[in-house]
Amino acid sequence: GKQREIAIVMDGPSYKFFNDESKEHRHWLLTIGKSCRSVVACRLTPIQKQMVVRLVKKDSVPQATCLSIGDGANDVSMIREANVGVGIFGKEGRQAANNADFAIGQFKFLRRLLLVHGRWNYCR
């Protein structure tokens, strides 16, 4: 039959119940996340965003390469934690773009950056 598509949405208040220092919590969050088609983390504090990226980057087997995308000062720690960071110039200023590996002017340029330039870089 048709496989169900599952997504998980974590918000800041719910994330407070997650204990980053617990090996069991980290294991279960990664296990659940891997079984989902999409994982959305919204309304997180800057340190929570950074902790999610660190969790995926450090605890994934095989080790994951993380991409973080942000458009404001509250995304800087997440962008810096990731292997590759993309900052978007926006209403919130230039902090994200100044701290990223790549900077783009609008979200709509992300598709070309990832699918065209990313593929070219992968093929090299």
Side-chain angles (χ1 to χ4, degrees):
K2 185 179 177 186
Q3 187 178 16
R4 286 191 264 172
E5 294 184 2
I6 301 170
I8 184 172
V9 179
M10 289 186 303
D11 65 351
S14 300
Y15 190 80
K16 289 180 184 176
F17 292 103
F18 173 71
N19 180 1
D20 188 57
E21 295 176 8
S22 167
K23 189 172 187 173
E24 184 179 9
H25 280 205
R26 291 193 322 265
H27 167 77
W28 281 110
L29 184 59
L30 279 174
T31 301
I32 293 168
K34 286 179 185 178
S35 68
C36 294
R37 170 95 187 216
S38 300
V39 178
V40 178
C42 58
R43 308 305 300 167
L44 298 179
T45 66
I47 192 69
Q48 289 172 330
K49 293 177 185 182
Q50 181 182 8
M51 287 168 53
V52 169
V53 173
R54 183 178 294 148
L55 168 74
V56 174
K57 191 169 113 177
K58 302 282 188 210
D59 291 8
S60 292
V61 177
Q63 190 172 20
T65 300
C66 292
L67 166 72
S68 289
I69 304 163
D71 66 348
N74 61 333
D75 298 320
V76 169
S77 58
M78 172 188 66
I79 288 170
R80 294 176 66 97
E81 182 68 38
N83 299 99
V84 180
V86 176
I88 301 172
F89 296 108
K91 298 175 188 170
E92 297 185 37
R94 303 175 65 97
Q95 292 92 334
N98 289 343
N99 286 281
D101 300 304
F102 300 94
I104 57 177
Q106 297 177 13
F107 272 102
K108 69 179 183 179
F109 300 144
L110 192 56
R111 176 178 290 182
R112 183 176 175 100
L113 176 66
L114 294 177
L115 300 179
V116 176
H117 297 287
R119 184 177 190 293
W120 289 349
N121 191 47
Y122 180 77
C123 291
R124 289 182 201 147

